[in-house]
Amino acid sequence: HSLRPFSSAGFAGKNDGGLAALLCVLLALLLRDRCNLARPWGQGADPFGSATLLRPWNEGDSHMERAKKRLSAAFEFFTKLGVKYYTFHDRDMAPEGHTLEESHRNLDEVTDLALQFQNQTGVKVLWITCNLFAHPRYMNGAATNPDFHVFAYAGAQVKKGLEIAKKLNAENFVFWGGREGFMSSLNTDVRTELKHMASFFRMAVAYKEKIGLKCQFLIEPKPKEPCKHQYDYDAMSVIGFLKHFGLDKDFKLNIEPNHTTLAGHSYEHDIIIASEFGMLGSVDSNSGSPDLGWDTDQFPMDIHNTTLVMKTVIDQGGLQPGGLNFDAKVRRESTDLEDLFIAHISAMDTFARGLRNAAKIVEEGHLQNMLRERYLSFSHGTGQKVEDGSASLEDLEEFIKQNGEPKVTSGKQEKYEAMFNHYL
């Protein structure tokens, strides 16, 4: 992620509830540049080789000079692609200083320039997040760190991030707990760490309200990497945490499908789960290689996957104020500047095609009618009482005494799959 201004970019599909608005695909780019932080794979480096993606906007005598050049190049890229939104980490936007005060000044200076570019181009901020995982101070976590001093530093960084979110009129604010987890249970008090993380989130909610910041808070799940086990393992883990600590009214989820597959789920799994609980707020759109065991941040090119995602978005009436952004980067071997355009445009087209497919599925209604028929037995009699929550075990026993052994009913999985393929 180090020095990757466009390699993690994307588009946001946002609507006001209608299919017509959904079909007007809006775009958002993720400005991902770790500046002076040690995340070199965004330059095309990996553990076995040095950087291959050498960009002119990463040249300069100082970190601040490079930050401003990257920002200028980014907005040029945004306007050439016609995107409407972008997103960033605080340390993507401006380099970390030697002190908290210097870091704040750097962020103020570069976001002043960002605000000028926003006003000139009309490009808006989909979401902002704070990088609470890359600096060595966060090696044992941020909100879950056993050292209060580190916990406090993370809080001060988020406080500034929320102020910047208000300054730039960000529509969402994301929390990704890259180091919120543990390597060994032997040196970890899990209950205490979860309690502290909940307290951290409550402070963020309180400060958001205090400064009058109007945006949606989002948590992004991931099962592993960099931690062996992360507290935000998947959608259900995060939803359970939020409900347990009474935070579910203040947060929704930002789902990254590549993270979902790392948790052993299908591409669309966490998007559907979050949506069914009314917790799907935004989608960090990318893909991975299921045959590999790590987060590869590839551009999504599978129309099957994007159709399932967009059907969920349509079913819940859109994502606003969230959207779709690409947390993705070109491959190490894709070294031409042209490849940046090809990757983003192709992935946008893949989601646009998925949206058209999903709209047709919803409009024709064949799959939905089949699904409704499969659960028809819960629409009357004792089944309806179960649906209403008024049935008892005695009711179920009496039903079986009257009706005997149930018939075996086919799930028709292959038929569903064949019908779905028809739309692709």
Side-chain angles (χ1 to χ4, degrees):
H1 294 274
S2 176
L3 308 180
R4 56 181 252 198
F6 312 136
S7 58
S8 293
F11 79 83
K14 298 168 52 117
N15 82 3
D16 296 313
L19 268 182
L22 265 172
L23 288 169
C24 296
V25 180
L26 303 181
L27 308 176
L29 289 188
L30 174 61
L31 178 66
R32 276 288 179 90
D33 184 344
R34 300 296 173 225
C35 301
N36 56 335
L37 300 175
R39 303 194 72 200
W41 58 87
Q43 292 176 270
D46 63 22
F48 307 96
S50 58
T52 61
L53 306 178
L54 306 178
R55 310 302 194 193
W57 48 81
N58 288 326
E59 299 172 358
D61 293 332
S62 70
H63 291 309
M64 286 295 285
E65 180 186 351
R66 292 195 292 272
K68 292 177 181 179
K69 287 178 66 175
R70 286 192 297 269
L71 188 64
S72 177
F75 272 87
E76 179 184 348
F77 191 63
F78 302 159
T79 54
K80 285 180 176 178
L81 286 180
V83 300
K84 305 300 181 185
Y85 290 86
Y86 75 108
T87 78
F88 64 90
H89 287 231
D90 54 352
R91 300 305 184 235
D92 302 339
M93 180 65 77
E96 183 148 5
H98 293 96
T99 64
L100 179 69
E101 292 81 5
E102 183 182 352
S103 297
H104 286 356
R105 288 195 299 271
N106 290 346
L107 196 55
D108 285 335
E109 184 176 340
V110 181
T111 54
D112 284 346
L113 181 59
L115 188 57
Q116 291 180 30
F117 285 139
Q118 287 180 211
N119 292 334
Q120 290 170 7
T121 64
V123 177
K124 303 175 183 178
V125 177
L126 180 65
W127 57 251
I128 291 175
T129 188
C130 289
N131 185 326
L132 303 178
F133 54 88
H135 194 281
R137 79 173 71 89
Y138 297 128
M139 67 179 184
N140 291 311
T144 61
N145 198 293
D147 184 350
F148 168 72
H149 197 152
V150 178
F151 180 98
Y153 201 105
Q157 188 174 337
V158 167
K159 175 179 178 292
K160 184 63 174 180
L162 294 173
E163 293 165 358
I164 295 299
K166 183 177 181 181
K167 171 182 176 178
L168 299 183
N169 296 311
E171 299 187 15
N172 301 269
F173 193 95
V174 173
F175 295 84
W176 177 60
R179 302 285 180 183
E180 314 296 15
F182 55 87
M183 296 295 181
S184 172
S185 59
L186 296 176
N187 67 350
T188 305
D189 186 336
V190 172
R191 181 184 295 273
T192 294
E193 291 194 355
L194 289 173
K195 180 182 177 182
H196 290 170
M197 186 161 63
S199 296
F200 190 89
F201 286 149
R202 290 194 189 99
M203 294 179 206
V205 170
Y207 193 67
K208 169 190 167 183
E209 294 173 351
K210 180 178 181 179
I211 66 175
L213 172 60
K214 306 297 182 183
C215 74
Q216 174 67 59
F217 274 179
L218 302 168
I219 295 178
E220 181 176 325
K222 189 177 183 181
K224 57 184 178 180
E225 202 188 63
C227 286
K228 181 178 180 180
H229 176 82
Q230 293 182 206
Y231 291 131
D232 52 4
Y233 186 89
D234 61 5
M236 282 301 296
S237 299
V238 176
I239 292 170
F241 167 83
L242 292 173
K243 288 186 176 292
H244 179 79
F245 288 101
L247 291 163
D248 51 302
K249 299 297 187 294
D250 298 304
F251 289 82
K252 289 189 176 182
L253 275 59
N254 180 47
I255 301 298
E256 180 174 320
N258 192 181
H259 293 176
T260 303
T261 55
L262 289 177
H265 303 310
S266 61
Y267 186 87
E268 73 283 357
H269 177 275
D270 270 12
I271 289 173
I272 292 174
I273 292 295
S275 180
E276 291 298 331
F277 279 89
M279 299 289 283
L280 179 61
S282 201
V283 179
D284 233 8
S285 308
N286 63 10
S287 65
S289 296
D291 51 331
L292 300 177
W294 59 89
D295 192 358
T296 54
D297 283 343
Q298 296 170 224
F299 282 91
M301 300 291 187
D302 189 327
I303 294 174
H304 176 278
N305 291 338
T306 60
T307 300
L308 288 169
V309 170
M310 297 314 297
K311 183 179 182 302
T312 304
V313 171
I314 292 175
D315 287 343
Q316 76 165 31
L319 282 173
Q320 196 172 30
L324 304 177
N325 68 269
F326 295 151
D327 183 1
K329 58 181 180 288
V330 296
R331 298 302 87 194
R332 183 174 189 265
E333 302 77 18
S334 300
T335 56
D336 293 343
L337 288 178
E338 176 190 51
D339 296 327
L340 291 174
F341 287 90
I342 292 171
H344 290 92
I345 293 169
S346 298
M348 293 174 193
D349 287 347
T350 302
F351 262 98
R353 178 58 62 88
L355 179 57
R356 289 182 179 274
N357 293 344
K360 191 172 183 181
I361 290 172
V362 172
E363 288 167 357
E364 294 189 357
H366 300 310
L367 279 170
Q368 188 59 37
N369 289 338
M370 285 176 58
L371 195 62
R372 190 179 300 110
E373 290 176 7
R374 192 174 186 217
Y375 294 89
L376 203 58
S377 60
F378 286 90
S379 65
H380 58 274
T382 307
Q384 182 65 56
K385 292 178 68 176
V386 171
E387 192 74 18
D388 297 340
S390 61
S392 65
L393 291 179
E394 292 88 342
D395 292 332
L396 303 185
E397 181 185 48
E398 183 60 30
F399 177 85
I400 294 301
K401 286 180 177 179
Q402 294 180 13
N403 294 275
E405 185 71 20
K407 296 179 180 179
V408 174
T409 304
S410 173
K412 297 288 185 184
Q413 178 178 328
E414 294 78 9
K415 184 175 182 180
Y416 282 88
E417 291 173 345
M419 289 184 67
F420 182 82
N421 284 343
H422 169 74
Y423 292 98
L424 303 185

